[in-house]
Amino acid sequence: MSTHPGRAAHPALPTPAPTTQDIRPLPAESTASWLTRLAQAHHLPPPYLLDGLNITTTGRPGHTPGGSEIHLDHTAQHHLAAFTRVPHHHLTRALPRLNALPPVPARPGHTGGHATWQRLEAHEAPARSCPTCTLRRTHGTTGRALAYLPDHTRLCPHHHHWAAGPHHSLDTAALPELTRAHASHQRLQRRADTADAWTWATAVTTRWHDHCTHATLTARWQHRRRLLQATNPGVQPVTGSWTLLARDAVTYPETVTLARTLATTGLFPAPRHGRPHPAVRAFLDHTANTLGLPRLTPLPADLLTTWTRHHTR
């Protein structure tokens, strides 16, 4: 019997066919994405699938891909693990948000599981994985899956696809510099002190991009964006803005370069008599050179100036 008021009762789920039992979650996939793929394999909406597995659902999914996540309590996880024949430890390893919420207290007399839909803010949403990799990993059943991708994995270097949010995957074959930046980013990730440098570098290049701070970089980024638009003619940004959709991709090489420079730069000596120390000027000249700029003289309100202040002793 359905657990949703007003919904007509539906027959019990048939035993899944062997070809649809092994719908395994992909690495870092969102739980909602995996559940959606699982339901589609059985030609059912996700709520009906959960009902048939004696899992009560609260909340409602978002209207757009990646707009919400579903959280399963321990009982619901084991019901799905048994149904799909995917070991529970594999689910917990592959689905990073599986246990993101505190357990829901069991209701008296209810022996089933519980699932809760939760809306996600835009910055929390998973991104679309590489369609080619997804198609291969799902044995040709689908090319669409959403995953929580760290910044250093947003580009697939094998198929040149950039994860541009939950709706789009951009073909970047026309921008080989992104693949080179990806390789450099992997090397940077081996350092233990890169997280702070990456955060600062991302903030700096994003500000430069949005405010057109450097003419040389602005022209370079506009050229990359035009190439992306030309090689992705079927992509219509949900926001209506190609500038916003492509921003992280077109600034990626410079962000990686700047992050490496910040990560390898130590503390600057304290300035004397209010004058910038020569070491700061040398750092700015070196940074300009690595970014391919004729000169770098950030204004007092520039985030790079703020970073140098934080690294002055």
Side-chain angles (χ1 to χ4, degrees):
M1 184 69 64
S2 171
T3 59
H4 296 269
R7 179 178 296 165
H10 53 82
L13 290 175
T15 302
T19 55
T20 61
Q21 280 182 322
D22 193 25
I23 308 295
R24 304 179 72 85
L26 305 178
E29 188 172 10
S30 79
T31 310
S33 173
W34 174 62
L35 180 65
T36 299
R37 293 195 297 110
L38 182 62
Q40 289 173 345
H42 295 283
H43 310 289
L44 289 169
Y48 275 75
L49 177 69
L50 294 174
D51 281 352
L53 296 175
N54 195 22
I55 299 173
T56 303
T57 307
T58 56
R60 292 184 178 182
H63 299 292
T64 59
S68 58
E69 179 62 288
I70 190 166
H71 302 278
L72 308 168
D73 70 3
H74 195 68
T75 302
Q77 294 175 26
H78 280 277
H79 282 194
L80 279 167
F83 179 69
T84 58
R85 297 184 183 177
V86 177
H88 182 254
H89 67 84
H90 181 82
L91 295 183
T92 58
R93 186 169 62 246
L95 303 172
R97 298 294 179 89
L98 189 64
N99 296 305
L101 287 183
V104 178
R107 296 186 304 170
H110 180 65
T111 59
H114 189 276
T116 304
W117 287 101
Q118 184 184 50
R119 298 294 179 91
L120 296 177
E121 299 294 334
H123 68 277
E124 300 175 308
R128 186 179 178 186
S129 300
C130 170
T132 306
C133 288
T134 300
L135 198 63
R136 176 177 58 81
R137 290 170 176 168
T138 61
H139 309 290
T141 58
T142 183
R144 178 177 288 276
L146 302 181
Y148 298 101
L149 301 175
D151 290 323
H152 67 284
T153 64
R154 290 183 65 182
L155 178 73
C156 173
H158 305 293
H159 306 113
H160 308 290
H161 278 279
W162 177 270
H167 301 278
H168 305 295
S169 176
L170 300 178
D171 182 350
T172 64
L175 302 177
E177 62 267 38
L178 265 67
T179 304
R180 294 192 293 270
H182 173 81
S184 179
H185 201 172
Q186 304 310 301
R187 294 191 294 271
L188 187 62
Q189 281 296 116
R190 298 170 192 164
R191 297 178 58 98
D193 55 352
T194 59
D196 185 61
W198 178 257
T199 300
W200 275 101
T202 302
V204 169
T205 55
T206 298
R207 178 76 66 87
W208 287 354
H209 175 278
D210 293 349
H211 293 272
C212 301
T213 305
H214 300 283
T216 301
L217 291 179
T218 297
R220 189 186 304 169
W221 291 336
Q222 289 176 343
H223 174 67
R224 288 179 189 155
R225 185 168 61 250
R226 287 192 293 268
L227 286 177
L228 284 178
Q229 287 184 261
T231 53
N232 293 272
V235 173
Q236 298 295 330
V238 175
T239 61
S241 171
W242 255 99
T243 300
L244 182 60
L245 176 68
R247 180 179 62 189
D248 292 346
V250 300
T251 62
Y252 183 60
E254 286 72 29
T255 302
V256 173
T257 298
L258 182 57
R260 184 175 61 249
T261 302
L262 299 184
T264 55
T265 300
L267 294 174
F268 302 113
R272 296 181 180 179
H273 309 296
R275 297 179 181 179
H277 195 277
V280 175
R281 183 68 259 168
F283 161 75
L284 293 174
D285 290 342
H286 171 71
T287 303
N289 182 63
T290 60
L291 293 173
L293 299 176
R295 187 170 174 81
L296 193 57
T297 306
L299 296 174
D302 193 290
L303 288 178
L304 191 58
T305 302
T306 305
W307 184 90
T308 60
R309 290 179 186 144
H310 284 201
H311 287 76
T312 299
R313 61 181 177 184

